[in-house]
């Protein structure tokens, strides 16, 4: 498995990974992620979107965005077919390394409720709750992972 920066050519594959993710099975969550992913694109440059591949197949990806002096984990997806194989852990460890290279001291995570326990197992701690807003109609645990 290898990591590489995502490119605009990866947009369709990453949109599909988001739209079909088994982490969004609730009807409201499925509708939200389908709408979001349909309009999302990998920008040309100036981004932190990393893709993990195995034999040319997308296994997962994440996106970091600046959050003050720190970084926010904005997107984090493991392809359904790759779950249970340590891919999520590899993605998370790579993300922590990248955040450190960007001089962050902490990674902020506004989590899908179904994914929060994964982040806690990775060492993130609860720091609050993000209220519903815009297209997300449910509360999201907010976590922080010190580097």
């Amino acid at each position: 498995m290898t990591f590489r920066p995502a490119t605009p050519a990866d947009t369709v594959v990453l949109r599909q990974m988001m739209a079909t993710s088994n982490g969004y099975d609730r009807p409201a969550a499925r509708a939200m992620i389908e709408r979001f992913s349909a309009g999302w694109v990998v920008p040309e440059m100036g981004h932190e979107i990393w893709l993990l591949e195995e034999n040319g197949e997308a296994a997962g990806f994440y996106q970091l965005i600046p959050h003050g002096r720190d970084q926010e984990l904005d997107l984090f997806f493991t392809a359904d077919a790759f779950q249970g194989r340590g891919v999520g852990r590899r993605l998370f460890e790579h993300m922590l390394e990248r955040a450190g290279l960007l001089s962050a001291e902490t990674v902020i995570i506004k989590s899908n409720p179904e994914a929060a326990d994964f982040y806690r197992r990775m060492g993130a701690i609860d720091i609050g709750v993000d209220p519903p807003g815009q297209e997300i109609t449910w509360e999201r645990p907010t976590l922080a992972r010190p580097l």
Side-chain angles (χ1 to χ4, degrees):
M1 290 192 153
T2 58
F3 282 96
R4 67 171 177 81
T7 68
D10 298 312
T11 296
V12 172
V13 169
L14 301 185
R15 280 179 177 172
Q16 181 70 17
M17 188 184 304
M18 285 188 274
T20 61
S21 172
N22 64 18
Y24 290 85
D25 285 340
R26 291 177 291 116
R30 173 67 58 210
M32 181 280 302
I33 199 64
E34 287 175 353
R35 279 190 309 274
F36 173 80
S37 63
W40 182 83
V41 297
V42 176
E44 264 316 309
M45 54 182 34
H47 65 275
E48 282 289 326
I49 303 172
W50 287 84
L51 174 61
L52 179 60
E53 292 180 311
E54 180 177 71
N55 299 322
E57 186 176 356
F61 78 101
Y62 68 86
Q63 177 177 6
L64 286 171
I65 58 172
H67 187 88
R69 292 184 13 222
D70 296 316
Q71 293 288 314
E72 181 176 338
L73 181 59
D74 186 46
L75 299 171
F76 189 93
F77 285 87
T78 301
D80 292 348
F82 286 88
Q83 291 182 5
R85 297 174 40 189
V87 170
R89 178 176 294 280
R90 286 188 71 183
L91 281 166
F92 198 83
E93 289 170 352
H94 188 270
M95 178 275 300
L96 293 175
E97 182 180 320
R98 290 298 307 167
L101 290 171
L102 295 167
S103 301
E105 294 178 12
T106 303
V107 174
I108 304 299
I109 307 163
K110 294 180 182 178
S111 177
N112 177 350
E114 286 78 10
D117 283 340
F118 168 78
Y119 297 124
R120 292 178 186 116
R121 287 192 306 273
M122 298 296 107
I125 55 172
D126 288 88
I127 60 170
V129 175
D130 196 48
Q134 298 178 352
E135 291 193 38
I136 300 175
T137 59
W138 56 89
E139 290 184 336
R140 295 182 295 163
T142 302
L143 303 103
R145 174 52 165 84
L147 301 182

